[in-house]
Amino acid sequence: GPFYPLGTPSKGGDLTRVDGRPGSAQGQLLYLGGRVLSQSGEPVRGAKLEIWQANSHGRYNHPEDRRNLPLDAGFEGYGRASADTTGTARFGTVKPGRVPWPHGGAGGSGMQAPHVNISIFARGVLNRLATRLYFEGDPANAEDPVLKLIPAERRATLMARRDGTTWRLPIYLGGAKETVFFDV
C-alpha cells in the first residue's frame, strides 16, 4: 500500500459508514482535522484533501491487499473533503492498524506505525502533494521505517496532536514550518 480506491468514494469525509451497508466501521472512532496553511501561515481555503488508510485491523480495502486480515464492511478506507475558511478539512474515521513495511534497505523492515496517507490539491499547486499523518505519542512511531528516513527535527511536521475528540495536523505548504512531503 497505500492503495487507491477502485471507484469514487461515496461518503466524502466520513469513512465510518458505507452507503448501502448496515452498521459502522470497527475500531476506535476518531476525527481528523487537516489544516492547510500557506508558507506565511494563512489558511488555504478550498484546498482538497484526500485520505486513504488501512482499517483498524491493518488491512487496506483493495483487492491487491491479500493479507489474511479481516476486511471491514463498514469502512471504505478512502475519503475526500474540502478545506473551509480556516483551511481545515475534516474527516470521521478509525485509528488505522499497523501495516507491514514492504521494502528493505534504509527504511528497515517490520511494521509501520498507525498512519493516514494524505494528498493535498490546492490553487497554485500543480501536482498533488503527498504526506502522512501519524498520531503523536503512539509508541509504534519510534520503530516506523518511514519516520526513520526523515531527519528527527522534521518528524514533528507529520505528528497530529489530540485536541478533545479530534486529531489535528497543520499542513504548511512552504516556509520554515513546511510539512514533509513525499515523492510519489
Side-chain angles (χ1 to χ4, degrees):
F3 298 111
Y4 289 95
L6 295 177
T8 304
S10 58
K11 297 304 278 181
D14 183 5
L15 285 68
T16 65
R17 297 188 180 278
V18 177
D19 284 344
R21 295 185 195 157
S24 61
Q26 301 168 11
Q28 179 186 347
L29 298 176
L30 53 87
Y31 297 96
L32 302 178
R35 187 169 187 222
V36 183
L37 302 160
S38 70
Q39 67 182 21
S40 62
E42 296 297 315
V44 178
R45 296 170 186 89
K48 305 275 188 267
L49 272 69
E50 291 180 353
I51 67 170
W52 65 100
Q53 67 176 78
N55 66 22
S56 63
H57 305 289
R59 183 169 178 189
Y60 286 97
N61 185 11
H62 193 280
E64 288 186 28
D65 188 345
R66 295 186 182 101
R67 293 174 295 130
N68 190 23
L69 295 170
L71 278 172
D72 181 350
F75 185 72
E76 287 184 305
Y78 175 83
R80 179 182 298 152
S82 296
D84 62 17
T85 57
T86 69
T88 304
R90 292 173 178 79
F91 297 90
T93 188
V94 297
K95 186 169 184 182
R98 297 180 72 181
V99 296
W101 175 247
H103 311 291
S109 61
M111 300 294 284
Q112 297 178 66
H115 65 277
V116 176
N117 300 290
I118 303 174
S119 287
I120 300 109
F121 304 88
R123 189 174 351 161
V125 176
L126 300 178
N127 296 307
R128 77 177 174 104
L129 298 172
T131 191
R132 284 183 166 197
L133 175 153
Y134 287 90
F135 299 89
E136 183 178 67
D138 191 305
N141 290 342
E143 58 192 66
D144 184 86
V146 175
L147 284 174
K148 287 180 181 180
L149 292 171
I150 299 167
E153 66 275 7
R154 303 270 298 130
R155 293 177 192 160
T157 69
L158 303 177
M159 295 296 157
R161 289 166 183 82
R162 190 174 195 154
D163 178 11
T165 60
T166 302
W167 287 87
R168 300 188 186 282
L169 179 70
I171 302 168
Y172 286 87
L173 300 182
K177 297 181 182 179
E178 183 178 26
T179 298
V180 170
F181 296 108
F182 300 97
D183 292 333
V184 288

